Amino acid sequence: MVRYTTRARGRFSLSPGLMQSPLMPSRRTALKKFTRALTPVFAIVLSGSALAQEAMDTGVKDYETDLRVYTAHVSYLANDFMEGRVPGSKGMEIARDYSEHFMQLAGLEPAFTTKETLANGSVREVPFSSYRQAFPLGGTLEVKSSTLKANVGGESFNFESERDYTVTGLGGSGDITADAVFVGYSIGEGPDGYSSYPQGADLTGKIAVMYRFEPMDDEGNSLWNEGEAWSENASFDVKLRAAFERGAEACIVINTPFASDDRINRLDGFRGSGTGGDKPVVMVSAEAGKMLLDATKDHDAKDLWKLSNEGSQLVDLGEMTVKAELEREVLNAENVGGIIRGKGALADEWIVVGAHLDHIGMGYFGSRSGSGQLHPGADDNASGSAAVLLLADLVNRSYANLSDGDQARSVLFMCFDAEESGLNGSRYYSNNPIVPIEDHAVMINFDMIGRVLNDRLIVSGLETGEGMAEALSPILESTKLEIVKPQNMSGASDHKGRPGALLDHRRLPRRLPHPGRCLLEAQQRGHRPRRAHVPRHHHEAVDNPRASQVRLAQRPE
């Protein structure tokens, strides 16, 4: 037996390699190797007694069944029907229901407090009575009504919403009829002295009409970002700021018909807060925009594109009307959590096993490919959520085999909401924990655990618990996996919250293109192994916990 003392709340991390083809024997082998390495770790973290491997039953016996369950969880959560699990969507609500259902099925108790109003009107809190922890998350945007009309070159246009244009969340409500001015790409200051605006240009009281992106070559590729898509000058923030600072009352962004970019074929709503403030911002399709600009006196859409590439030239278009009535509603997100109660003297110490359940929907934020394309989030983070649901069942089975004299910590299994938009769910839990924060011993965070190569296991954060490295050393030496112990770690996931983290996996691209291909494609792409991360800093209460003696389970032969 080996003893270690956790004089500081510990956080360390592991990174397995599990996602290959469901039918490939190597994937089954990887799961078996990883699970054998992981379950003794849980024995250390969860148990405070001198439990032999046989006594601390890991619950992991049927690897084929566990693999099928894990794969089924990932496939369900990453299905197209789930709409990329973005907060506020029906798909995300279904994902929460799904997670709660399997926590209940695993035998977990509700984690969170609810309030009830008594007959005398007083309110009573009922702890451990709900699987949901609701919290506010900004708001959703609804377009109540909109109009886009134009009288250009003697022609009248009455555009159709969501076919020819869409009102974006980059601006606000407004009703403006005014002269419209074509402002090229609306870039105030670009490379080599480029500007879309002549010196002293004044758009006060006018509607600015602009092309999307930035100066291009004849093939429709950026002149400023060779070998890449577009430079930062092509961002909406740059364009809208340049127009509104010059007095524009509304902005119309046309998908440049001549650009070599698939996004010209779709309308992006960007239904979030933006640069435009309370002034309308409308996106117009490439087809409708070309029709509008072709009617311009002495110019057509291609002429104006060439002028835009040269810069410093504005063109009067005629009169336009932009009307947008927007309504923002408060959006509530929900963490989903269930608990397993511990035993003996350690029952008041808590382990959090978590993963974020949400993703980014149609690429509404944080997408490398832009909005308008479904991001199913198979690896990020259906893979981590599936691990939480699988482990909830396995660990609860293990606890059921403990005797009355054994000691084990209590466990909270969590599926966090709204991680992608800023670690919101884990932050809310950190500020509103189910027990005092100083009673949290460790947080295990699974983020993007879908792929690893070459049987490598990256373990970091061992130094965050006194004696933890020594305690885990025999376990790590016994595995057939290659063990890597990096010095640095990322904080870009839910373990960054004040409870800290034990396990986190996050080193790969944000998405897989289609959930039906995710398992096989993850392995075929040949990405480097992901690492599990632990922050160096922790909540101050966790830095000074009471000491506890924990014995290490015997390593298997």
Side-chain angles (χ1 to χ4, degrees), residues 368-537:
R368 298 180 180 180
S369 60
S371 64
Q373 178 181 356
L374 179 66
H375 293 59
D379 193 27
D380 187 10
N381 187 36
S383 66
S385 300
V388 170
L389 297 179
L390 177 62
L391 285 169
D393 180 46
L394 298 180
V395 173
N396 200 34
R397 280 192 261 160
S398 298
Y399 271 45
N401 292 327
L402 295 176
S403 65
D404 292 339
D406 289 327
Q407 298 185 53
R409 294 176 173 87
S410 297
V411 190
L412 166 62
F413 289 88
M414 287 275 284
C415 288
F416 293 108
D417 204 347
E419 184 267 1
E420 298 285 8
S421 56
L423 312 181
N424 296 286
S426 56
R427 181 183 299 108
Y428 187 83
Y429 177 79
S430 297
N431 294 324
N432 301 273
I434 60 173
V435 295
I437 203 72
E438 58 266 24
D439 291 338
H440 290 65
V442 135
M443 191 266 178
I444 304 170
N445 184 37
F446 292 99
D447 197 339
M448 297 176 66
I449 67 172
R451 324 170 233 186
V452 161
L453 299 178
N454 304 321
D455 287 340
R456 299 184 74 197
L457 182 67
I458 300 177
V459 184
S460 60
L462 295 175
E463 75 284 353
T464 63
E466 184 176 334
M468 186 177 290
E470 293 80 2
L472 288 176
S473 180
I475 298 289
L476 301 179
E477 291 173 1
S478 70
T479 180
K480 294 181 180 180
L481 299 174
E482 178 187 354
I483 303 299
V484 180
K485 302 176 183 179
Q487 295 299 313
N488 299 317
M489 59 205 74
S490 166
S493 187
D494 291 308
H495 62 274
K496 188 177 181 181
R498 280 173 266 186
L502 173 72
L503 295 182
D504 172 46
H505 312 259
R506 190 183 184 92
R507 292 296 295 170
L508 293 179
R510 287 187 168 275
R511 63 182 181 88
L512 294 175
H514 191 281
R517 299 195 297 269
C518 68
L519 303 182
L520 177 60
E521 191 166 328
Q523 177 68 8
Q524 291 176 336
R525 288 185 175 221
H527 291 291
R528 63 181 179 178
R530 171 179 351 93
R531 68 189 66 198
H533 306 289
V534 181
R536 293 183 178 273
H537 301 291

Side-chain angles (χ1 to χ4, degrees), residues 92-170:
M92 185 58 191
E93 183 55 43
I94 293 172
R96 296 189 197 109
D97 290 342
Y98 181 89
S99 302
E100 178 178 337
H101 170 76
F102 279 95
M103 287 183 184
Q104 290 184 26
L105 202 62
L108 273 61
E109 299 178 35
F112 303 112
T113 297
T114 57
K115 295 181 180 181
E116 63 179 13
T117 303
L118 303 180
N120 63 1
S122 63
V123 177
R124 176 175 63 190
E125 291 190 347
V126 184
F128 303 110
S129 57
S130 174
Y131 291 93
R132 305 292 182 99
Q133 184 184 45
F135 59 93
L137 184 69
T140 58
L141 180 69
E142 181 182 358
V143 180
K144 306 296 289 187
S145 65
S146 68
T147 300
L148 181 61
K149 297 180 179 180
N151 190 340
V152 175
E155 295 188 41
S156 296
F157 300 88
N158 190 0
F159 296 104
E160 183 177 330
S161 176
E162 303 308 323
R163 184 194 68 183
D164 301 322
Y165 74 96
T166 188
V167 177
T168 78
L170 299 173

